[in-house]
Every structure is written in structure tokens, then in C-alpha cells.
Amino acid sequence: MAQSFDVCIRGAGVVGRTLSLLLARERLRVALVPGPAPAAGGPDVRAYALNTASRGLLESVRSWPDAEHATPVLRMDVHGDMGGEVTFDAQRHPATEALAWIVDVPALEARLADAVRFQPQVEVVDAPVQAALTVVCEGRASRTREEFGVHYDEVPYGQHAVATRLRCERPHGQVARQWFLPDGILAFLPLEGPEGNSVAVVWSVRQDEAQRLLAMEPTDFEQRIHAASQDTLGAVTLDAPRAAWPLQQARADRWCGPMAATAGGPAQGKPKAAPARSWVLAGDAAHAVHPLAGQGLNLGLADAQGLARVLRERDYWRSVADLKLLRHYERERKAALLPMGWAMDGLQQLFSRNEGPVPWLRNWGMRGFERSGLVKDWVTRQAMGLG
């Protein structure tokens, strides 16, 4: 007999797997469809900055990585290009032990895969199956989103993120560091626990500069990044291959809708109406922001948590395909994303311009923000997921 499913999730990345575990807790039968296998290549050099809210969510589905794969960030130092500086310190926020945790992507994905494997309410399937609700978690290049006729408004920044791993002469001290430079934004994210001297690098630069950085000999790249990081951690050595991808801000115009109805077979000479079915978007399939604040996955996990909560709190007589529920989720998440999207886009635009008095003004603004007290604390709490 064919298996009956309540929800079909297309995309088995971090957001898709987390959502499947959340829905399984509500006794919903979930089909999880993996996306295309990644192209063969070297080790995955990505790392996620996850906030307190994301950690709590992943712990609730027993998928938080071991300590060596989740390094707490106790402080973040942000440096402008003309002396402006901002420091964020976890000690000012006793409700949590860290500003964020830098998490290895493969370790997190492995924990989620194990949790899914031992969850009887979730079945990994080879192809999409019919279900009352289809959730699209396929990322920004989603084909299913296109099939549903959703317009994905992409605004390219003209930048690429160059990512790799470095071994540093001095330990990172559980400090995340970011430099706003005339030619891009450089970030060092601490790895391998409190005593580690390894960092994940994300360097946002123009597309032509990204190609030059990728083509450099290792020693030349090390010297370039050592100079850009102002010798903060001493000499650096490449510890992984380099990778790059384009940066953009993007938003789907619709996040949910009805699926085309199909008539069932005849019953005693009368046509049988098919039950209502709907679709909804989550994660990068719905939105994308600049990585300069490391909020991309936090926003995607908040989508999963918000959708699961809306479905959990529905009236007993409502189906998971009820469009009223799904539109409530869409409105709620769009409202939460709006200030973050504006902030990330504004900062990117501000630090990509160097004409006239702009550099002086932005560094003056950084110094003012550093002294702003309650405003700075409020911004920090929002980024930590404590708002």
C-alpha cells in the first residue's frame, strides 16, 4: 500500500531537515526529498554563525554538534577603514553564554541526518510525493519555486564571497573579527574550540577581485590576507581550498499558494473531488541577505520554527494545507525579515562606496554607535535571537 504523507519537504539541507524533525514531533507524516548531490570537490569550507535562538532550536531536535564543531564567540571586533571600531561583548548579556557559535557545516548536517534516520515519522524519498502540504527548502536556485510560478526578485551586489580556512600563528581567543576595507569586507570566524588557532574566512569582494584571489599562489594569498587582517593573529597558513559564490539580496514575491487540484476517480458515477493541497517556501528559497552579519541560516531556521508553530497551533479542524495558516506564517516572517534586510543592504551599500566624504561619515557613525549604549545593546540582542 502506498504511504500517505501530510507534508512533503523538497530539500534536505539544514532548514529542510530541521523542519522535518519539528513536524514529526507533531505526529505529522513527513516525506523528505534530498536535492541534487553536490558536485565532487574538496572539503566543505563553509561555517555558520548560529545565534542563541538557533542553538536552542537545534538542541530541541537533538542535533546540536559536539563542542569541537561549535566554537562559542565571546566577543566580536569590527574595524572600519578609517579608525572606526565597534566591539560586541557577550559579558554585557548574561542571559546567554556567547554572542554566537561558529559551527562546521558538515558536522551539523551529519547530526541532522542521524536525527532524521532515527525519526520514524520522517521518510527520505527519492522523488516528490503527493501530500497535503509541500514545503520548498531547496535554496536560492530552487526549481520547484519556478514551477509554482513564483518570482524571485534578485538584486546582485556585484560581489563574490571568497571562503577558506586558515591556521594562525596566534589563537583566536574566541573572538570573531571583521574588517570593512576599501576593497571589501573580511571576516575571521573562530574554529576548533576555545583554544583553537583556526579560523573560517569569508571575504566579500568585487567579482574580478574574487577571481584574482582564487588564482593566487597560496603564499601570495596568505601574504595578502595577513596584510588585510592587520597582523591580528600573526602569520597565517592556508588550511583548505578556496571557494567562491556570488552575493545578492533576494526575496520571493509569494511564499505560499494552492497547488493545482487533480480530480480523483469516479465513485458510483459521481466525480470525486481531490483534497486541497498547498505549497509554502522556507529558508533561502524564500529570501537571501548579505552574509556580513552571518544571519542567513538563523533566518532560515526561524522560518522552520515559525511554520512548525503555526501548524502546531492550528484549530483541530484545519488541514496543514489551509491557506489562512500559511498566509499568517508568510506575513509574520516577512515582517521579521524586513528590518534585517534593510540593515544588511544599507551596510553593504555604505561600505561599498568610497567617494567624497562617505568613508569619513561611516567611520564617524561606527564611533557613535560604539558609544550608543542601549541602542547597541538592543541591536546585539536582535542578532543573538533574544529580541
Side-chain angles (χ1 to χ4, degrees):
M1 234 180 127
Q3 177 67 60
S4 174
F5 293 99
D6 301 297
V7 181
C8 176
I9 299 176
R10 300 191 189 185
V14 172
V15 173
R17 285 185 175 130
T18 302
L19 179 60
S20 73
L21 295 168
L22 292 171
L23 298 181
R25 286 199 313 208
E26 307 306 319
R27 310 308 299 168
L28 294 172
R29 283 290 297 159
V30 180
L32 185 61
V33 188
D44 194 334
V45 298
R46 295 174 300 157
Y48 293 131
L50 296 183
N51 62 22
T52 299
S54 293
R55 174 174 179 167
L57 176 61
L58 290 165
E59 285 180 332
S60 76
V61 292
R62 300 183 179 181
S63 298
W64 186 249
D66 295 332
E68 67 264 31
H69 299 297
T71 302
V73 177
L74 302 185
R75 197 177 79 239
M76 182 173 183
D77 294 342
V78 182
H79 306 273
D81 53 353
M82 291 180 62
E85 291 189 356
V86 176
T87 298
F88 300 94
D89 196 325
Q91 291 185 349
R92 290 183 59 87
H93 304 274
T96 183
E97 62 187 90
L99 294 172
W101 288 260
I102 307 304
V103 175
D104 279 308
V105 173
L108 175 57
E109 290 178 336
R111 291 300 297 267
L112 283 164
D114 287 342
V116 166
R117 188 162 51 250
F118 291 105
Q119 173 50 261
Q121 292 290 111
V122 180
E123 183 175 336
V124 179
V125 297
D126 296 329
V129 299
Q130 185 166 302
L133 178 62
T134 294
V135 186
V136 183
C137 298
E138 294 171 330
R140 17 187 122 169
S142 169
R143 293 183 180 179
T144 302
R145 183 186 59 221
E146 294 182 4
E147 293 172 9
F148 292 157
V150 177
H151 176 64
Y152 196 59
D153 185 25
E154 298 175 306
V155 181
Y157 284 121
Q159 289 183 324
H160 277 54
V162 176
T164 188
R165 301 286 177 92
L166 297 176
R167 187 70 56 182
C168 305
E169 181 181 2
R170 294 190 284 271
H172 51 61
Q174 296 180 262
V175 178
R177 296 172 170 89
Q178 195 169 43
W179 293 268
F180 286 91
L181 307 169
D183 58 351
I185 303 168
L186 173 64
F188 279 8
L189 308 176
L191 296 171
E192 297 184 354
E195 307 302 322
N197 68 335
S198 176
V199 297
V201 174
V202 182
W203 201 348
S204 302
V205 295
R206 297 186 313 273
Q207 182 176 352
D208 57 342
E209 181 64 15
Q211 297 306 313
R212 282 194 288 271
L213 291 173
L214 292 174
M216 279 183 178
E217 291 296 321
T219 52
D220 294 335
F221 181 85
E222 290 163 359
Q223 291 173 3
R224 174 76 184 278
I225 205 166
H226 174 258
S229 62
Q230 302 167 12
D231 191 38
T232 301
L233 296 180
V236 298
T237 306
L238 271 172
D239 202 32
R242 285 160 279 178
W245 57 86
L247 298 178
Q248 62 185 15
Q249 184 182 52
R251 181 76 60 85
D253 61 343
R254 294 180 297 130
W255 288 26
C256 63
M259 294 187 73
T262 55
Q268 298 180 350
K270 295 182 180 180
K272 181 181 178 181
R277 296 187 294 132
S278 300
W279 58 266
V280 67
L281 308 180
D284 284 353
H287 52 78
V289 297
H290 196 285
L292 64 88
Q295 291 297 310
L297 183 57
N298 291 314
L299 296 172
L301 289 172
D303 290 348
Q305 188 170 32
L307 180 58
R309 179 182 51 77
V310 166
L311 297 180
R312 181 181 69 246
E313 294 176 354
R314 73 187 190 279
D315 296 320
Y316 72 91
W317 46 270
R318 288 189 186 275
S319 162
V320 294
D322 192 309
L323 282 172
K324 182 177 181 180
L325 295 174
L326 302 179
R327 287 175 183 137
H328 175 74
Y329 153 78
E330 178 180 2
R331 289 192 302 270
E332 183 181 84
R333 293 304 303 144
K334 280 184 174 180
L337 282 163
L338 196 60
M340 183 63 68
W342 281 347
M344 295 305 98
D345 187 60
L347 283 172
Q348 192 280 333
Q349 298 293 342
L350 180 63
F351 280 91
S352 64
R353 299 175 58 186
N354 293 300
E355 66 272 17
V358 173
W360 180 85
L361 286 171
R362 66 191 176 215
N363 283 271
W364 173 81
M366 289 181 71
R367 288 188 285 269
F369 180 76
E370 175 66 6
R371 298 190 298 267
S372 64
L374 292 176
V375 173
K376 178 182 167 186
D377 287 345
W378 181 85
V379 171
T380 307
R381 288 179 60 81
Q382 301 308 304
M384 293 166 69
L386 299 175

